Amino acid sequence: MKLVQSFWSKPYINSAVDAAETRLHGGWIDKKYYYMSWALSCLQLCRYYDHVELVTDRLGKKILIDTLELPYTNVRLGLDDLNDYPADLWALGKLYAYGLQNEPFLHVDSDLFIWEELRSDMTKSPLVAQHLEKEYAFYKNLMEEVAPLNLHIPECIKARHRIEPINAYNMGITGGHDLEFFRLYTIEAFKFINANKQNFSRMALGPFNTIFEQVLFYSLAQTHQKPVNLYTYTTGEHLVDDEMKGLERFRKTPPQSGLTHLYGSCKGMQPFCDEVSYKLKKYHPASYEKIMDIVEAEAVLSF
């Protein structure tokens, strides 16, 4: 099974610091933690898997490959094709990467760290996601906020919303063997985005990413009656958050969970940043020292 990560650099350098769901520095307090997160995520994947691919753009290659020297087994450029889109549509890089795949894959976010091999069924399933976000208030409130804009909403989302509350799959890890479905999904996602370009200036684009990525994936899978194998079947927002990104679990060495995903507000909290730094130094000291040297050199140059 091929593992894939994607880095569209435009959101990293151009997102507004005060924007909702900002991805300036990947959403981290400081870019050094973004570097550390990328290094820890990549190096842990490479510890357990032989084929780890990066999909990025020219600047992304310069940062992750030429500067940080992360050991991806393959690098594919192409995300410069997205640069006409607003930087706040940060999930576009992932969608583009999904659509490029021509063999079974799992895409892993750069703020997700594995501590052991994934379950064997995760690498054998037609479709995979991290967990179900069932009836979260976030999605209900978001759909109510955008309702006055009369957005073009895909029929599969509207159909699901008529019979149940808005649900979504968290896609910190996603992929599978059903490449035909992923091609359909990426086509529908870009159609959804392009049909609403005229509304970009009237809406908060950060939260919109969760609709065209996670809500659409759930709705399309349900419409086509495609079962999705989940990393965890825990339900309930607080229970899932504790399992996936609880600080005390994360601090344990090795962590209690087979993976940690620091989605949401974690990246803006110093204790989580400190733990990423600690774990990179503990498990991959050479990479930690390289990043600290880079950060020190950048500070000298900026001074």
Side-chain angles (χ1 to χ4, degrees), residues 51-180:
H51 192 182
V52 185
E53 177 178 277
L54 175 67
V55 179
T56 188
D57 49 33
R58 287 171 293 178
L59 178 58
K61 178 181 179 294
K62 182 177 180 180
I63 294 171
L64 299 184
I65 305 302
D66 302 337
T67 303
L68 299 187
E69 298 181 345
L70 297 182
Y72 290 99
T73 53
N74 187 46
V75 179
R76 300 174 71 171
L77 301 180
L79 297 192
D80 287 303
D81 293 346
L82 300 174
N83 286 339
D84 288 338
Y85 289 95
D88 288 335
L89 295 179
W90 40 261
L92 288 184
K94 296 173 64 175
L95 291 173
Y96 193 103
Y98 303 154
L100 287 179
Q101 303 309 311
N102 55 17
E103 63 181 288
F105 73 98
L106 288 176
H107 183 283
V108 178
D109 284 357
S110 66
D111 56 358
L112 189 151
F113 320 109
I114 66 170
W115 311 110
E116 60 189 11
E117 283 192 41
L118 297 165
R119 295 193 320 264
S120 60
D121 62 292
M122 296 285 289
T123 61
K124 298 175 182 176
S125 299
L127 295 177
V128 169
Q130 182 175 299
H131 64 264
L132 174 64
E133 296 184 335
K134 183 176 176 61
E135 300 180 17
Y136 281 19
F138 170 84
Y139 293 110
K140 176 179 181 293
N141 296 337
L142 180 57
M143 295 300 288
E144 290 175 352
E145 288 175 13
V146 301
L149 300 178
N150 294 317
L151 298 182
H152 166 80
I153 303 292
E155 183 56 38
C156 64
I157 294 179
K158 292 190 289 187
R160 297 309 303 177
H161 194 28
R162 284 194 287 267
I163 61 175
E164 65 179 9
I166 292 292
N167 295 319
Y169 285 123
N170 184 294
M171 297 175 70
I173 183 167
T174 191
H177 288 245
D178 192 343
L179 300 180
E180 183 178 349

Side-chain angles (χ1 to χ4, degrees), residues 3 8-9 28 36 63 69 84 92 95 125-126 137 173 179 203 206-207 211 215 226 233 236 241 252 265 286 301:
L3 274 69
W8 180 32
S9 65
W28 293 91
M36 290 179 179
I63 294 171
E69 298 181 345
D84 288 338
L92 288 184
L95 291 173
S125 299
I173 183 167
L179 300 180
M203 59 191 294
I211 301 178
V215 173
K226 298 283 189 177
Y233 286 84
D241 284 354
K252 294 184 183 295
S265 60
L301 289 172

Side-chain angles (χ1 to χ4, degrees), residues 246-260:
L247 181 58
E248 292 309 311
R249 287 175 179 262
F250 187 29
R251 281 176 169 160
K252 294 184 183 295
T253 306
Q256 291 176 335
S257 177
L259 65 79
T260 302

